[in-house]
Amino acid sequence: MSSCEYIKLSGMTKLCTFLSQNLIIMRTALLLSLVCALAAAAPRPKTTPYVFPGLNTGKIVGGIEAGRHEFKFLVDMRRGSHYCAGSIISPDWVVTAAHCSQSAPSGYTLTAGDHNINVVEGTEQTRQVVQIINHPNYGSPRQYENDIALMKVSPPFEFNEYVQAVVIPDVNFAPTAVATVTGWGALTEGGSSPSNLMKVDVPHVDDETCDRNYNGGIAPSMVCYGEGGKDSCQGDSGGPIVCGADQTLCGIVSWGQGCARPNYPGVYTETSYFAEWIRGSTIPTDEDPTPVESITSCGGRIDASSAEITYQLGSSIRADQKCVWIVKAPYDSLRFRLSSSGLGEGDGIYLTNFANSQPGTQQRMTTVGQNYTVTSGFVLVTLNVGNAPTRGFRLEFFSSGFADATRDFTGFASLNTNSGNFSYPIGGGSYLNNENALFVINPIVPAMRTLMFTRMNVENDSTCSYDAVTIYNWFGNQYIQVAKRCGTTLPPSTTFESGVGLVTFTTDSSVVGTGFDFEWV
C-alpha cells in the first residue's frame, strides 16, 4: 500500500492529492512520516483490507469459535476475498455498514450458510449483489454517522436449516446489558484473521461514558459495546452484534479506536434507530388515503407523507405574490394533484426537483385535476402570481414507494421578512463536514430585493469544488444559478427581481471554516 493510499483511507484525500502531485519535490521521509502519523491517530472502520497498527484492525478479540450455523443470518461479504460481513433481513436483502458499500454492486458477492470461509462445506449459498442503498446521510454530520446500507441479491437466498433472516428491533428497542458480536475479523489488534467464525460477549457502555471517551464523537444513532480485551475488529465491519435469546440485531459493526483497548469500546450503528428506514427501503409503501397535513401559510417546509397546501382558497391573492414551499417526503415517489384553483392564465404553480442542493427538472401545474408524479422525495413548490390579482388554490401531494434516498438538509431556513440578516452556522463556531444546507429568501411582500454577503470564511479552491455557497435567482419562472463562491472573498451583490432566491451551502468531508453572513434589503 502506498503512502497516498494510506492517507486516503484516513479521510485525508485532498492532502493525499497534494502530496501525490508534489512527490518529486517533497520526498523527505519526515514529511510522509508526519502525515501518516496524523492519519493513524484517527479512528477507522473495521474493514478487512485496511491494516494499520494502533487501530481497530483485528478480528473478534477475546472470544471463542462460534457454533456451526449458530448465526444463520450472517453473510460473508467478498470483494475477491473476505472484506466485510452483513445480516440477512429477507430472501432478497442484507443489511451491512455503509463504509463497506461504497463500490459498484458488481464487485460484491455475499455467502450465507458459511462457517469456515476457506473451505467449501456444502451448506453455502453465494449470491451476486445487484443493488446497494447507502443511507443518504452516511458520514454526516459526524464521521461514520448513519453507517448503514442495504444490499439486494440475485437470486434470492433460500431459507433452510442453515440460512434464515435476522430479527430487526423496533424503534423502542433498548440495548441489553450484554450482547454478542460475531465475525471473521482479526483476533488481535493488527493480527491475522481466522478461517472459522468467532464470537464474543461484550458489555454495554452507556452513551454518556462512550461519548466522553471518544471526545464527543458518538451520535444518538450509535451504540457502544466492549471492554479491555473483548471487542470486534478489522474484518468484522458490517456484521452483527445481537441481543437476547432471539438474536435481535441490536447493532452493526462500524468503527472504534484500536482493538479491545480499555476505555475504547466498539462503536456500532444502532439498528433500532433505522428500523423504519430499513422497512421503507425494502418494502414499498402505499399512498395515504387522504392528506395527513393541511398547510395554509405562504411558504415553509413540509415534512409529511402527504399534505394539502390550501392557500387563500376562495379569497384574493395580490398581484406578483410569490410563495415557496419545500416538500420533504419519506418515500421516493411524489404525486401532486391540483384539486381546486382560481389561478389565472398568467399565474402558475411550479414543481422543481431538488437533489444534491441543486434545482432540477420542473413542471408547471395550472389545470384542476392535473396530476404530476416526481421520482424524488424533495420538491420545491413555487407559486408565481402574475401582474394582476388572482384567486387561491388547493394542491395535494401523496408519497409512496421505497424510502427516499435524497440527502436531508443539515441546515435550513425560510427567510420571509422584507429585510433581514442571517449567519451560518447558527450560534457561531465552525460549520460541519458534509453540509447540505438550504436558505430560502421569500419575503411575504413581493418586491425587488438585494442580497449582500458581509462575511465569508469557506474552504477555498480555484473551482469551489470542495465547499461552496451557491446563489439562485427566481427569474423567468425558474431558478437560475447566478454565483458560486468559496474562500474569503465576498460574493457580488445579487438582485432578486421577484424578491425570491435560494442560497445553498455544501461541504466535503474535510477542512472547515467559520461560515458566512448575508443580508437582504
Side-chain angles (χ1 to χ4, degrees), residues 319-474:
D320 299 321
Q321 183 68 61
K322 307 292 185 293
C323 301
V324 183
W325 296 270
I326 293 84
V327 174
K328 177 65 177 82
Y331 308 115
D332 62 3
S333 180
L334 259 173
R335 180 176 66 87
F336 288 86
R337 178 176 180 269
L338 188 60
S339 57
S340 183
S341 174
L343 299 177
E345 290 185 2
D347 312 322
I349 300 172
Y350 296 86
L351 309 179
T352 308
N353 283 24
F354 194 83
N356 301 319
S357 294
Q358 293 183 339
T361 57
Q362 184 168 279
Q363 172 73 19
R364 182 185 183 197
M365 301 197 76
T366 57
T367 306
V368 172
Q370 180 182 4
N371 285 268
Y372 180 62
T373 299
V374 181
T375 55
S376 170
F378 250 132
V379 175
L380 302 186
V381 178
T382 306
L383 169 65
N384 193 98
V385 176
N387 55 12
T390 191
R391 309 291 286 181
F393 67 91
R394 179 185 291 116
L395 177 70
E396 303 171 334
F397 72 81
F398 300 87
S399 66
S400 62
F402 296 99
D404 179 53
T406 310
R407 285 187 63 201
D408 200 354
F409 295 129
T410 54
F412 174 79
S414 182
L415 307 171
N416 55 20
T417 56
N418 294 327
S419 62
N421 56 75
F422 187 80
S423 297
Y424 194 78
I426 298 171
S430 297
Y431 59 79
L432 301 173
N433 292 322
N434 302 306
E435 289 270 18
N436 179 47
L438 170 65
F439 314 108
V440 182
I441 300 170
N442 179 203
I444 294 298
V445 178
M448 183 181 296
R449 310 289 172 188
T450 299
L451 174 73
M452 298 172 291
F453 278 74
T454 57
R455 182 179 66 89
M456 276 279 289
N457 183 265
V458 172
E459 181 187 7
N460 190 41
D461 77 286
S462 59
T463 60
C464 294
S465 57
Y466 299 150
D467 300 353
V469 173
T470 307
I471 303 167
Y472 295 89
N473 182 18
W474 176 257

